[in-house]
Amino acid sequence: MSRLFRICLVMGGDAGWIAGVEYIKNIALALGSLPKEARSTFELSVICSRELREDIQNQIRPCLDKLFYEEDYLQPETFLNRVRWKAMKVISGQTNPRLEKFLHSQSIDFVYPHLSRTHSGKPYRSAECIFDFQHKYLSHFFTPEEIKGRDSWFLTVANTADTVVLNSKSAESDFHKFFPKNAQKTKVLTFKTVPGTEWFNENPEAVQKIYHLPDKFFLISNQFWQHKNHLVVFEALKLLSKRSVYPTVVCTGHFYDRRCPNHSDTLMQFIHKAGISQQVHLLGLIPKLDQVQLMRRSIAVIQPSLFEGWSTLVEDARLLGKSILLSDLSVHKEQNPPDSLFFERDSSEKLAKLMEEWWETLASGPNVKRELAAVEVARQEVKDFGFRFLEIAKGSA
C-alpha cells in the first residue's frame, strides 16, 4: 500500500492580522470538506503555536490527521540556535532551518505557506503566498524601510520559490508586471469562507443586545488600518446628517494601526467633530461568532478599502447572503458578490447616496431564505477551493 501524500499547513497571523489565521483555517476546512475518495488520498497537518485561539483549534481539529505545536516540535529560539540557523542559511541555502528540520522529520510532501530554495536538496514541495502589492500603490502608508523590506522579500520569493500563490487574478497580474521573468511560477487560489456549524444556530438579535446596538445598522468588519478607509464612511454619515438622514454604522476590528499609531485617534476626533458619535459604534476586535451574528443582523455590509488582496469580509458577506457596498477596486469586482454595488473609493458623496437608498429600503436580518441559498452555493465553492489547493499541492495545477 502506497504512503498517503502528506500536507502541512503553517499557521501564521495573530490578533494584529487575524486574516492570516482565518486564511489557513479556511484552507484546512476546505480540504476537510472534500469527498471521501479525495480526502483519503492525503494526510493533513497544521503546525501552530499553543497560543493559537482555542476556538480556531477546535474548528480545524476534526479536519486534521495531526496538530503540531511549535513549542513541542521546533527548536527554541535561543541566541545560539539563531546563530546556527543563520550559518545554515548561508551554507545549505535553507530559508527556515528551524522549520525545515521538522518537515524532514515528519516526511512532509508539501508545506504551505513556506519559502524553500529549489537547490537546497529538500525532499518536499512548497509554495509561498503573496497576498497583495499594496506598497507599490499606496506607498505613503509605508515607511521607506517597510517598502525596502517588502521589495526585498517579494524579490526573494519570486526568484526562489517553487510556486508563488496569489489570491486573485488582479494580484497575479501585478506579480507578472513586477516580476515578468518569474511569471511561470504563479498559481491563483481564490479562497472561500467555510462556515462553522454554530454560525446559524445563534440568535443575532441576542448578540445585538449584548453589544447594546440599535435594531438597524450597517456593518464594517475591518482592522482600523489607514488603507481600510473608514474615513470615507464617516464622511458619508456627515453628509447625510445635513440631509436629516441618520444611518447607524457598527465597526468591528482591531483599533491599532502599527504604521500610524495615531490613526484611531484621528478617526475618533472626526467622529466627534462631525457630530455623528451617536451613529457610530466601535466595538473593537470581538469573537468571530459574535461578528458573524452582527453581520447576519445588519441590513448590509460596507467594504470601503483603498486596497485589498482577496477580502475575507466580502467572502463572509457572500456566504451569509448579505448585500454589500464595495469600493471600486479591481479585486472587489473580481470577487463580484451577489447583491453588491460599487462606489468610487474616494467619493463620500457617491457612498452617501447608496447608503441613503439602502437605509430606506433594506430591512434588518437575518434573511433565512437568502442564507440557505447562499450556503448551498458555498458548499460547492468550498469544495472547488479545496480541490484547487490540492492541485497546487500535488503539482498538477
Side-chain angles (χ1 to χ4, degrees), residues 359-387:
W359 185 250
E360 293 175 351
T361 58
L362 297 185
S364 301
N367 185 318
V368 176
K369 184 177 179 180
R370 286 180 60 170
E371 286 184 347
L372 290 173
V375 169
E376 190 61 32
V377 172
R379 285 196 182 100
Q380 185 56 51
E381 290 182 336
V382 167
K383 285 184 173 62
D384 292 342
F385 171 35
F387 276 122

Side-chain angles (χ1 to χ4, degrees), residues 273-290:
K273 291 180 180 179
I276 57 173
S277 57
Q278 296 300 311
Q279 298 167 248
V280 179
H281 297 257
L282 306 177
L283 305 186
L285 187 63
I286 65 175
K288 178 70 176 182
L289 185 56
D290 286 0

Side-chain angles (χ1 to χ4, degrees), residues 16 22 36 97 105 110 131 165 172 245 250 257 271 298 326 378:
E22 290 291 317
K36 184 177 180 180
S105 70
F110 179 76
F131 285 93
V165 174
E172 183 183 48
V245 179
V250 174
D257 185 345
I271 290 169
S298 70
L326 292 153

Side-chain angles (χ1 to χ4, degrees), residues 264-330:
S264 295
D265 291 339
T266 300
L267 292 177
M268 292 294 290
Q269 289 171 10
F270 180 90
I271 290 169
H272 177 72
K273 291 180 180 179
I276 57 173
S277 57
Q278 296 300 311
Q279 298 167 248
V280 179
H281 297 257
L282 306 177
L283 305 186
L285 187 63
I286 65 175
K288 178 70 176 182
L289 185 56
D290 286 0
Q291 182 231 331
V292 167
Q293 300 313 309
L294 294 182
M295 188 174 290
R296 295 178 70 202
R297 182 61 175 154
S298 70
I299 67 167
V301 173
I302 304 176
Q303 171 55 302
S305 290
L306 296 173
F307 205 94
E308 286 290 330
W310 186 266
S311 174
T312 301
L313 176 60
V314 172
E315 292 306 316
D316 286 355
R318 182 202 305 277
L319 175 62
L320 295 172
K322 301 302 298 187
S323 300
I324 180 167
L325 296 175
L326 292 153
S327 58
D328 59 346
L329 301 176
S330 60

Side-chain angles (χ1 to χ4, degrees), residues 9-13 46-52 67-77 85 96 98-99 102:
L9 302 177
V10 182
M11 179 71 80
V46 164
I47 183 164
C48 64
S49 170
R50 285 188 179 277
E51 296 180 359
L52 178 65
L67 180 63
F68 298 105
Y69 291 118
E70 296 174 1
E71 294 84 350
D72 296 337
Y73 286 88
L74 301 188
Q75 294 176 315
E77 292 185 312
W85 295 332
N96 189 342
R98 183 177 184 235
L99 180 61
F102 160 78

Side-chain angles (χ1 to χ4, degrees), residues 74-87:
L74 301 188
Q75 294 176 315
E77 292 185 312
T78 63
F79 173 76
L80 288 177
N81 277 339
R82 286 196 296 268
V83 171
R84 184 163 56 84
W85 295 332
K86 187 174 182 179

